[in-house]
Amino acid sequence: MITFNNISKVYNSGAQTITALDQVTLEIKEGEIFGVIGFSGAGKSTLLRCVNALETPSEGEVLVGGDLLATLSPKQLRKKRKTIGMIFQHFNLLQAKTVFDNIAIPLYLLGYKKRDVKNKVRELLSFVELSEQAHKYPDQLSGGQKQRVGIARALATDPSILLCDEATSALDPQTTSSILALLKKINAAYNITILIITHEMNVIQEICDSVAVMENGRVIETGSVFDVFAYPKTATARRFVSSVLQDELPLSLQQMLYKQDETHQIYRIVFTGESTGQPLLSQVAKNFHVDVSVLYGHVTELQGTPFGNLVVQLKGEANEISKTLAYIQDQAVEVREVVSHAS
Amino acid sequence: MQVDWNTFYQDMLEATGQTVTMVVFSLLFSVLIGIPLGIALVVTREGHLLQNKWLFRLLSIIINIFRSVPFIILMVAIIPFTRFIVGSSIGTAAAVVPLIVYAGPYIARLVETNLLDIDPGIIEAAEAMGATPWQTIFRIMLPEAFSSLVLSVTIATVGLVGASAMAGTIGGGGLGDLAISYGYQRFETDVMIVTVILLIVFVQGLQSIGNVLSKKLRRR
Ligand SMILES: Nc1ncnc2c1ncn2[C@@H]1O[C@H](COP(=O)(O)OP(=O)(O)OP(=O)(O)O)[C@@H](O)[C@H]1O
Ligand SMILES: [Mg+2]
C-alpha cells in the first residue's frame, strides 16, 4: 500500500545540513496497522509526511497505492491526498468552527451538497461517539474528544490510508487506550491501512501488527510486533521493549546479586504462544537437582498471543544446570544468560 | 467671541457628517486594498501556500515606504495623485484619497499579523485534506482569523478618525477642521471642548462595537 524506496531527506539550514531520513526502505501492506517508533528527532514525522507529500524526499521514491508521488501533478496530488487521512498530536482543529463544521470541512472542499454533508457528518459523529457534542466548539472538549473530532474529519473523505502523528502523545493513558481502540475499530470496519508514529512502545504493543524502529534517520529494525518484542536485536529496540515489558532487572536487585557474585547464574526465559501455559518451572524442579528462584517476571499479550518473560536464578552444580538449560530449550522455550549491568 | 450655539450646532452637525463620510469611505476602500495585500504578504512568504520571494519583498518594501511617511506629510506629498484621482486636491473626496493611502498599508500589516497568528498546524491539516491554496485561504484561514480581523479593522477605523481630523485641514471639513479653525485659531474654547468630546464618544463607540462583534465572531 505504501512503499518507501531508499528515501533520504536532507535539510540545509544555513551552514548545517541535517539528515532527517537516511536511506529508508519500508513496505506497508494493505490493511495493516504499522507503527514507527523512535526517540525525538529520529525522523519519524518526516517519514510520515512523505506519504502525503507534505514533505518531498531528497532522494528515493515513495509509492502510495501504486502511484509514484513524485510524478503526480499538483491537481492529482490533491486528489491523492483525499484518499489519505491524517491526524495530529495537537489535533489542529479550527477553533472558530463547531465540531460538526470541523468534520464537514473536507466534504465542503469536495463540493458536497448540504444535505449529503449533513448525513455523512452525522454518520461519522456516531461512529466516533460524539453525536452529543456536534454543536460544541473545540475549546469546550477534552483532549480525547478533540482527537475523535480529528479522526472523524480524517475519515470524512473515505480514505484508504490513515496517518497518525503522535496521535495519543498529548493524552492520558486511559484516553490513549480509548483512542487506540477506536483506531483498531476503524482498521477492522473499513480495512483502512494505518501508519502510526509514536515514541510510546505501549501504543505499538496495543494495536500494531508490524513495527519499525528508527534512530538517526535510519530504520534500524523492523518486523512483526511479536518478533520485535520477543527478540529485539538492537539496543534501542530493547530499550523500547523494556519500557513496557519491564523485563530488565530492577537496579536494586542487580546490585544485590552483584554483591553476592551470583550474577552468572541468572537466566531469562522467554515464553511465547502455547509454551506460556506449560508448568515448566515445576517440571524443572522435579526432574533436576537445581533450585529455581524467580527474580522477576511479566506476562502480557502481543497481537493476541500470550507472551511471558521470566528472570530466574538457577542454583546447583554446573552440569546439572546445563542439563536444565537443554531441557528448557527442548520445550521450544527461549532461554539466555543475563549479563549483569550492575558493573 | 462666543459662538451662538443656536446656529452653530448646524455647523457642528455638518462637520460630524463630513467626518463620518471621510471615515466610512476611506475605511471601505482601505479594507478592500488592505485585506488582499495582507493575505498576499502571508501566502507569498517562504514555505507558504503560494511562496514567491520577489513578490513578497516587493510588497513588503512598498508597504514599508507608505508606512514610514507621517500622515501629514503623506497628505501633501500625494496631492498630484489625489488631483489625478478625484480631479481636485481639496474637499471631502480629496481628503479620502490620502486616508486610503495611509490606512490601506496599515490594514495590510494588521491582517498579516492576524493570519500569521493562525496555528500552522491548521494550515497543514488543510493541505493534508487536499485543499487548494485558494480554498485554504478562504475556507480555512479567513474564517479562523475572522474575529481578530474585526479587531484589526476597528483599530484601523479609530486611526482613521484621528487621521481624518488632520485631513480636514486640507479642505475636507469635519470635526478636526472645526476644532482647529474655531478652537485653536479663534480661541473658542467651548468649540474645542465639544469637538474633543464628540471625537472621544466616536472612538469609544467604535471600539465597543468592534469588541462585541469580535467576541461574537470568535465562535461561529
Ligand atoms: N523543516 C525542517 N528544517 C530543518 N530541519 C528539520 C526540519 N524538519 C525536521 N528537521 C530535523 O530533522 C530531524 C528529524 O525530525 P522529525 O520531526 O522527523 O523527528 P521526529 O522523529 O518526528 O521527532 P519528534 O518525536 O520530536 O517529533 C530533526 O533533527 C529535526 O530537527
Ligand atoms: Mg514528530
Side-chain angles (χ1 to χ4, degrees):
Chain A
M1 194 67 181
I2 306 171
T3 308
F4 299 103
N5 211 343
N6 211 15
I7 64 166
S8 296
K9 175 75 188 182
V10 179
Y11 290 110
N12 293 304
S13 53
Q16 231 183 346
T17 60
I18 299 164
T19 308
L21 292 176
D22 192 1
Q23 300 184 318
V24 172
T25 297
L26 273 182
E27 167 86 44
I28 293 151
K29 294 191 211 70
E30 186 173 347
E32 82 174 329
I33 305 185
F34 195 104
V36 176
I37 191 164
F39 294 112
S40 192
K44 310 179 297 284
S45 298
T46 311
L47 182 74
L48 186 82
R49 293 156 54 85
C50 284
V51 178
N52 56 0
L54 289 178
E55 211 76 73
T56 330
S58 330
E59 259 177 69
E61 46 187 36
V62 183
L63 282 125
V64 178
D67 289 322
L68 196 56
L69 290 189
T71 62
L72 298 181
S73 68
K75 198 175 165 191
Q76 289 171 318
L77 181 60
R78 284 196 290 271
K79 204 170 157 206
K80 189 86 203 167
R81 280 176 174 160
K82 293 186 167 125
T83 69
I84 307 172
M86 187 169 187
I87 59 175
F88 307 85
Q89 177 172 6
H90 298 295
F91 325 119
N92 297 348
L93 304 177
L94 272 80
Q95 300 299 320
K97 294 207 185 283
T98 59
V99 166
F100 186 98
D101 287 332
N102 263 287
I103 299 172
I105 290 170
L107 300 170
Y108 282 127
L109 295 185
L110 276 175
Y112 270 46
K113 299 227 165 50
K114 250 204 159 84
R115 150 177 275 174
D116 299 334
V117 170
K118 216 171 185 169
N119 291 336
K120 181 77 190 172
V121 174
R122 287 229 177 97
E123 182 192 319
L124 287 161
L125 278 168
S126 93
F127 185 81
V128 300
E129 295 164 30
L130 278 181
S131 302
E132 314 284 283
Q133 327 290 335
H135 298 292
K136 287 196 175 163
Y137 288 84
D139 63 357
Q140 297 169 302
L141 302 178
S142 71
Q145 289 172 328
K146 284 184 205 168
Q147 196 55 288
R148 284 168 188 273
V149 178
I151 291 171
R153 179 177 72 179
L155 294 180
T157 50
D158 296 320
S160 50
I161 295 172
L162 182 63
L163 306 176
C164 314
D165 192 350
E166 302 277 7
T168 59
S169 298
L171 307 174
D172 62 58
Q174 221 166 354
T175 315
T176 294
S177 292
S178 83
I179 294 295
L180 293 179
L182 178 61
L183 292 177
K184 214 165 182 169
K185 182 171 135 190
I186 289 164
N187 173 255
Y190 303 119
N191 195 35
I192 292 178
T193 308
I194 301 183
L195 179 55
I196 293 183
I197 298 301
T198 184
H199 61 264
E200 299 167 322
M201 198 62 172
N202 66 311
V203 171
I204 305 283
Q205 185 190 2
E206 272 187 55
I207 62 166
C208 292
D209 301 313
S210 304
V211 60
V213 183
M214 282 191 77
E215 194 170 55
N216 297 328
R218 291 171 169 273
V219 169
I220 55 170
E221 193 162 339
T222 180
S224 76
V225 166
F226 196 91
D227 285 345
V228 171
F229 268 79
Y231 316 107
K233 292 185 204 76
T234 58
T236 305
R238 270 198 292 278
R239 259 174 87 183
F240 279 120
V241 170
S242 297
S243 71
V244 287
L245 293 190
Q246 286 151 9
D247 57 354
E248 294 282 330
L249 285 182
L251 202 63
S252 56
L253 199 55
Q254 283 182 32
Q255 277 164 351
M256 197 185 80
L257 294 168
Y258 183 65
K259 273 195 206 120
Q260 296 169 358
D261 196 24
E262 287 178 339
T263 53
H264 58 285
Q265 295 166 316
I266 301 188
Y267 298 89
R268 177 192 305 287
I269 300 174
V270 180
F271 301 91
T272 56
E274 287 175 2
S275 68
T276 318
Q278 291 174 20
L280 184 78
L281 291 185
S282 66
Q283 277 167 12
V284 165
K286 252 185 251 165
N287 300 338
F288 301 92
H289 290 286
V290 290
D291 286 329
V292 185
S293 48
V294 175
L295 297 175
Y296 207 64
H298 190 90
V299 179
T300 183
E301 194 185 58
L302 290 173
Q303 294 181 281
T305 309
F307 174 79
N309 215 310
L310 213 55
V311 179
V312 299
Q313 187 171 32
L314 301 179
K315 280 186 186 164
E317 284 174 15
N319 72 324
E320 204 61 18
I321 287 179
S322 59
K323 270 198 273 177
T324 307
L325 295 178
Y327 171 78
I328 295 175
Q329 255 147 10
D330 271 355
Q331 312 297 307
V333 173
E334 156 135 346
V335 59
R336 54 179 180 258
E337 187 160 5
V338 174
V339 184
S340 170
H341 301 285
S343 46
Chain B
M1 282 294 279
Q2 287 290 313
V3 292
D4 179 1
W5 281 97
N6 284 325
T7 52
F8 191 70
Y9 85 96
Q10 276 187 326
D11 292 17
M12 207 81 203
L13 267 181
E14 195 189 346
T16 308
Q18 285 163 339
T19 293
V20 171
T21 310
M22 280 190 282
V23 170
V24 167
F25 279 95
S26 55
L27 181 68
L28 192 72
F29 286 103
S30 43
V31 163
L32 283 179
I33 293 169
I35 288 185
L37 268 180
I39 294 171
L41 276 175
V42 172
V43 298
T44 57
R45 63 181 55 210
E46 208 180 330
H48 220 290
L49 295 174
L50 299 165
Q51 96 175 40
N52 185 328
K53 198 159 80 183
W54 295 109
L55 185 57
F56 173 72
R57 280 197 191 160
L58 185 72
L59 289 177
S60 192
I61 289 171
I62 292 175
I63 288 170
N64 284 346
I65 290 173
F66 281 108
R67 298 266 303 124
S68 51
V69 182
F71 180 65
I72 197 129
I73 297 170
L74 183 77
M75 205 165 59
V76 179
I78 65 161
I79 282 178
F81 176 68
T82 306
R83 195 175 283 140
F84 171 74
I85 299 283
V86 295
S88 157
S89 63
I90 50 168
T92 309
V96 168
V97 176
L99 284 173
I100 296 169
V101 175
Y102 166 72
Y106 183 36
I107 291 178
R109 283 293 182 210
L110 291 171
V111 169
E112 179 190 25
T113 320
N114 294 150
L115 295 182
L116 286 177
D117 264 350
I118 300 173
D119 180 355
I122 288 176
I123 294 163
E124 189 173 291
E127 216 181 336
M129 274 175 218
T132 61
W134 225 236
Q135 286 176 324
T136 308
I137 293 169
F138 288 99
R139 309 205 69 148
I140 310 277
M141 291 170 70
L142 288 181
E144 192 65 4
F146 203 65
S147 128
S148 42
L149 287 173
V150 167
L151 279 185
S152 292
V153 170
T154 309
I155 293 172
T157 314
V158 170
L160 276 174
V161 173
S164 76
M166 281 188 257
T169 60
I170 60 159
L175 291 169
D177 184 29
L178 211 63
I180 295 291
S181 49
Y182 285 83
Y184 178 66
Q185 283 159 356
R186 294 200 222 157
F187 306 105
E188 305 271 5
T189 314
D190 46 354
V191 175
M192 182 68 100
I193 291 172
V194 173
T195 326
V196 169
I197 289 175
L198 270 178
L199 286 172
I200 291 175
V201 170
F202 242 63
V203 170
Q204 295 286 354
L206 284 169
Q207 191 63 52
S208 306
I209 293 171
N211 289 348
V212 169
L213 211 62
S214 163
K215 199 169 172 192
K216 275 228 167 97
L217 291 168
R218 201 167 67 79
R219 293 171 169 175
R220 275 188 328 127

